[in-house]
């Protein structure tokens, strides 16, 4: 186990999958036969035969809203050595981004994934930039070999929740 992954565990970081608002999750340029669910959802992402795959070119734009405010500590993105993601840009709380405007905004953080990362080593983000995250946009700009298809086998987001009120869980008080 690497020092970074051991540090993530020591700081009580958890897999944030339980806090994903699945009704709002989107992925632009995904191959319909190899969608985001394969890399993000529990059970699917552990299956070596399933993966997320880009369609028209190597880029992918993933939008993940959360059911409550989270603090993002690190992420894990597994993929094959040649077609796995290389340059990954993260945007906190940026909604409605598309390929036409993704370069208009500075990323909250960016990563160039190594082969160690693609095999399962988490990448630690600039924690101070991800303290109050309601949504996360992940832009996969290119892949390791420069080809037209990017494949992602597994995406895991590690962090903690911020103690707030879940607005979706509130019920309207009826007037009597």
């Amino acid at each position: 186990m690497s020092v970074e992954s051991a540090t993530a565990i020591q700081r009580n970081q958890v897999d944030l999958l339980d806090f994903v608002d699945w009704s709002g999750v989107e992925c632009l340029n995904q191959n319909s036969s190899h969608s985001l669910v394969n890399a993000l959802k529990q059970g699917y992402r552990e299956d070596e035969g399933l993966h997320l795959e880009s369609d028209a070119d190597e880029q992918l734009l993933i939008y993940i809203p959360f059911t409550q405010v989270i603090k993002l500590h690190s992420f894990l993105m597994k993929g094959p050595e040649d077609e796995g993601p290389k340059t990954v840009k993260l945007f906190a709380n940026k909604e409605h981004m598309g390929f036409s405007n993704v370069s208009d905004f500075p990323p909250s953080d960016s990563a160039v994934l190594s082969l160690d990362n693609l095999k399962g080593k988490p990448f630690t983000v600039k924690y101070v930039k991800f303290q109050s995250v309601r949504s996360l946009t992940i832009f996969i700009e290119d892949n390791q070999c420069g080809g037209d298809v990017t494949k992602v086998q597994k995406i895991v987001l590690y962090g903690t929740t911020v103690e707030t009120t879940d607005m979706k869980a509130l019920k309207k008080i009826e007037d009597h």
Side-chain angles (χ1 to χ4, degrees), residues 53-161:
E53 184 174 304
S54 63
D55 190 22
D57 62 20
E58 75 281 5
Q59 296 185 334
L60 289 161
L61 191 60
I62 302 166
Y63 175 72
I64 304 172
F66 297 99
T67 56
Q68 57 184 287
V69 180
I70 60 105
K71 293 180 181 185
L72 182 67
H73 176 271
S74 56
F75 70 91
L76 178 146
M77 196 172 286
K78 285 180 75 173
E81 288 184 21
D82 50 354
E83 296 169 309
K86 184 176 182 183
T87 308
V88 178
K89 295 181 179 177
L90 304 172
F91 301 85
N93 305 320
K94 290 278 186 222
E95 297 181 9
H96 311 296
M97 293 180 77
F99 290 110
S100 60
N101 69 354
V102 73
S103 58
D104 295 346
F105 302 101
S108 304
D109 200 0
S110 59
V112 176
L113 300 183
S114 67
L115 292 180
D116 284 344
N117 293 129
L118 293 178
K119 291 176 183 174
K121 179 183 175 186
F123 183 90
T124 304
V125 300
K126 295 176 184 164
Y127 194 54
V128 69
K129 301 254 184 171
F130 297 92
Q131 290 296 298
S132 184
V133 180
R134 289 173 190 80
S135 67
L136 183 69
T137 301
I138 303 170
F139 176 46
I140 298 175
E141 193 167 21
D142 55 15
N143 58 37
Q144 297 290 328
C145 68
D148 285 342
V149 175
T150 298
K151 293 181 181 178
V152 182
Q153 294 164 330
K154 185 175 189 175
I155 299 171
V156 184
L157 305 172
Y158 295 106
T160 57
T161 57

Side-chain angles (χ1 to χ4, degrees), residues 4-47:
E4 283 185 1
S5 52
T7 303
I9 294 167
Q10 289 173 359
R11 292 190 184 159
N12 299 321
Q13 307 303 320
V14 297
D15 181 347
L16 295 170
L17 188 68
D18 290 341
F19 306 103
V20 170
D21 180 2
W22 291 101
S23 65
V25 171
E26 293 179 357
C27 183
L28 301 182
N29 194 38
Q30 68 182 337
N31 180 320
S32 58
S33 301
H34 302 284
S35 66
L36 177 61
V37 169
N38 291 345
L40 193 59
K41 262 202 165 164
Q42 191 76 40
Y44 293 82
R45 66 184 184 186
E46 283 74 33
D47 186 332

